[in-house]
Amino acid sequence: MISIQDLTVRLGAREVLSDISLEIQSGVWTCLVGPNGAGKTTLLKTLLGTLAYSGSLRDAGVEVFNDQTRNVAYVPQQPNIPIGMSVLEYVSLGRAKKDGWGRESNSSRKLVKKVLEETQLFGMQGRFVAQLSGGEMQRALIARALAQEPELILLDEPTSALDLHHQISVLNNIENLKERGVTIVSTMHDITLASMYAEQLVIMHHGRVTIFGAANEVIHSAELRSAFDDRIDVYTLDGGQAVIMASKEQKLSNERETPQKGV
């Protein structure tokens, strides 16, 4: 379990995260939801252990900052794209910590092949990563993370560059990690997809957590609507799945008034 108590993060003089306290359960999918600038990516990087903080952030009882012993995979929104590296080599990087770069075991090579097939990249393994489209690159990032067999996987908008077909395929692959007890923490702009896959939702607004808990409860909360300025509507399908849609912004009252003659 990851325990966060009174967590505050400052980047320079700016306080980006403020007094966050929550618990992230092991082996479940927790999704961070909120508008741009809410602090979701910063919280992911703090969970990764790369950002200093005040307060406490413990993974299995150990403070995470600069802890190099954890097996954590991170899928960023804007990766550094390696020049001259093939898709196969890039995905195989996920085995480097276990086997060493270029010294993959037979079992690791079989795992990489399986991951390439699952992410529909197997026919592209010889292509240079830098030549991939945005959606293909996103799948390569996730494939490398899956090949790592992490204990914790952190995903920043994992479906942002994918079409609907590949969104579902990739999310299904990520969801399968829970069968091995992997803890999943992601950010997602598509709240409907977030509520379909994540068991826990964390609503963030202005660097704070306003509510967290079971997805099927948080999705109907006033805190979710408030985070998006009450401009979303939540509908429930016959099967019980919640669907979130943005409300059209109301026109200003003076735009509805009839202009005066001569104006």
Side-chain angles (χ1 to χ4, degrees):
M1 182 178 71
I2 299 174
S3 178
I4 304 173
Q5 295 292 327
D6 303 321
L7 179 78
T8 296
V9 173
R10 290 179 173 84
L11 300 180
R14 187 164 62 99
E15 188 171 280
V16 183
L17 300 179
S18 305
D19 299 322
I20 291 177
S21 296
L22 63 97
E23 291 184 347
I24 298 174
Q25 299 298 320
S26 300
V28 305
W29 190 332
T30 298
C31 190
L32 312 178
V33 173
N36 292 337
K40 304 184 298 296
T41 297
T42 300
L43 182 53
L44 278 189
K45 291 180 178 178
T46 310
L47 287 165
L48 183 62
T50 58
L51 293 181
Y53 53 83
S54 61
S56 177
L57 199 170
R58 292 175 176 265
D59 187 350
V62 179
E63 290 290 341
V64 307
F65 181 58
N66 280 342
D67 182 358
Q68 303 299 316
T69 65
R70 303 162 72 218
N71 183 9
V72 183
Y74 177 53
V75 179
Q77 282 193 65
Q78 299 177 331
N80 293 321
I81 301 174
I83 303 299
M85 181 174 284
S86 71
V87 171
L88 176 60
E89 291 171 329
Y90 186 68
V91 176
S92 296
L93 283 175
R95 305 304 298 166
K97 189 171 184 177
K98 178 178 177 60
D99 297 337
W101 172 239
R103 300 196 299 271
E104 294 83 11
S105 65
N106 287 333
S107 61
S108 287
R109 285 193 288 270
K110 289 179 181 177
L111 174 62
V112 168
K113 179 183 177 182
K114 179 174 180 287
V115 168
L116 288 169
E117 291 172 341
E118 289 176 345
T119 53
Q120 300 176 357
L121 290 169
F122 187 68
M124 306 178 190
Q125 68 265 37
R127 289 175 55 184
F128 290 123
V129 179
Q131 296 176 342
L132 298 178
S133 69
E136 291 165 348
M137 167 60 72
Q138 191 81 354
R139 284 149 54 199
L141 286 166
I142 292 170
R144 187 183 72 167
L146 296 176
Q148 187 175 328
E149 293 188 303
E151 296 173 3
L152 169 65
I153 184 169
L154 306 171
L155 306 114
D156 200 359
E157 298 295 338
T159 61
S160 60
L162 303 176
D163 58 35
L164 182 58
H165 170 71
H166 284 115
Q167 284 181 16
I168 299 302
S169 177
V170 163
L171 292 174
N172 286 343
N173 289 336
I174 296 168
E175 187 177 45
N176 289 339
L177 292 173
K178 293 189 300 182
E179 297 177 2
R180 300 204 322 266
V182 177
T183 303
I184 304 165
V185 183
S186 69
T187 70
M188 289 180 70
H189 279 305
D190 191 322
I191 310 172
T192 298
L193 282 178
S195 68
M196 285 175 60
Y197 284 91
E199 292 102 326
Q200 302 285 318
L201 291 183
V202 177
I203 308 303
M204 299 187 66
H205 197 207
H206 297 312
R208 297 178 180 272
V209 169
T210 59
I211 189 174
F212 70 95
N216 59 357
E217 297 176 359
V218 173
I219 203 71
H220 298 286
S221 68
E223 288 84 353
L224 174 61
R225 293 182 59 88
S226 178
F228 291 92
D229 298 325
D230 291 318
R231 290 178 53 197
I232 60 172
D233 293 314
V234 181
Y235 302 93
T236 304
L237 302 180
D238 291 341
Q241 173 61 45
V243 175
I244 292 83
M245 297 182 64
S247 304
K248 292 181 68 175
E249 187 174 8
Q250 293 183 355
K251 296 181 180 181
L252 297 176
S253 59
N254 62 355
E255 293 178 337
R256 295 196 301 266
E257 294 175 354
T258 302
Q260 297 177 2
K261 292 182 180 180
V263 176

